[in-house]
Amino acid sequence: DQQVKQNSPSLSVQEGRISILNCDYTNSMFDYFLWYKKYPAEGPTFLISISSIKDKNEDGRFTVFLNKSAKHLSLHIVPSQPGDSAVYFCAASITGANSKLTFGKGITLSVRP
Amino acid sequence: NAGVMQNPRHLVRRRGQEARLRCSPMKGHSHVYWYRQLPEEGLKFMVYLQKENIIDESGMPKERFSAEFPKEGPSILRIQQVVRGDSAAYFCASSLRVMKGDLSGNTIYFGEGSWLTVV
């Protein structure tokens, strides 16, 4: 049972435009959400997170939006840069439940120069 | 990757041998997690440990896999009698603390990974 779903396996955008990466979850107990970026042959790098008490968190070019009623979150990258090309994983956890992360399968973002 | 150190980065083992993967968490972190990424898949939780304790091993295969995090030294993920299906990237991660209401401590930082190839 895939509790965190990233339904689009890939996304291609033009440099300078906005990248929107989507993520859906099914477990209403999740209360902390994170986005990780991963280059080939490297470990995931933490990007940004959001708790369920918020609906938006912004850090530079990265903004995460959370819609709890729809069990949906999205990562916006603006403006997109070629160096943003990577696999992006959405992850969710339940505070107090050992904080283990449940990951989606990832989205491959390609930013065209 | 934020100071979580894993070794070896690459490991080749023949079927039936043992694989031992090591992980040193970030300084000050007392919580260690192991995740596995199979080809074309996302990361799957395996085990969560604190010093000298296994807290959650719900993602560990029932046989051949074990993990420890001793009082001194790195965390070890051990795979006995490896099979081809064990070929994967194994990622260790650490976090500061897990406290209800302190969500910043829930951010988990990953190491570079150990790539196991079973031939």
Side-chain angles (χ1 to χ4, degrees), chain B residues 31-87:
Chain B
H31 301 259
V32 166
Y33 307 78
W34 285 93
Y35 286 79
R36 175 167 67 172
Q37 184 180 23
L38 294 168
E40 309 301 323
E41 300 261 338
L43 286 84
K44 295 285 197 286
F45 168 79
M46 298 182 76
V47 63
Y48 161 47
L49 310 104
Q50 294 180 26
K51 286 283 187 183
E52 300 185 278
N53 286 304
I54 297 174
I55 306 301
D56 183 346
E57 55 182 349
S58 58
M60 288 279 269
K62 294 281 187 280
E63 297 175 348
R64 302 187 297 107
F65 285 71
S66 63
E68 63 178 12
F69 189 17
K71 188 176 181 181
E72 301 291 337
S75 175
I76 307 284
L77 178 68
R78 184 180 292 111
I79 312 171
Q80 296 177 303
Q81 299 174 326
V82 296
V83 300
R84 288 235 171 96
D86 297 332
S87 296

Side-chain angles (χ1 to χ4, degrees), chain A residues 2 31-32 34 36 38 41-46 49 51-52 89 93-96 98-101 103-105, chain B residues 1 9 33 35 37 42-43 45 48 55-56 58 91 98-101 103 106-112 115:
Chain A
Q2 192 78 13
D31 61 0
Y32 192 59
L34 308 91
Y36 286 85
K38 186 179 179 301
E42 293 186 11
T45 302
F46 170 72
S49 63
S51 75
S52 58
F89 290 98
S93 69
I94 302 170
T95 307
N98 302 325
S99 285
K100 66 184 181 185
L101 298 177
F103 281 86
K105 290 193 173 184
Chain B
N1 264 339
R9 289 295 313 277
Y33 307 78
Y35 286 79
Q37 184 180 23
L43 286 84
F45 168 79
Y48 161 47
I55 306 301
D56 183 346
S58 58
F91 293 98
V98 178
M99 287 173 56
K100 203 170 176 66
L103 296 177
N106 289 9
T107 300
I108 296 174
Y109 297 90
F110 284 83
E112 296 277 299
W115 269 258

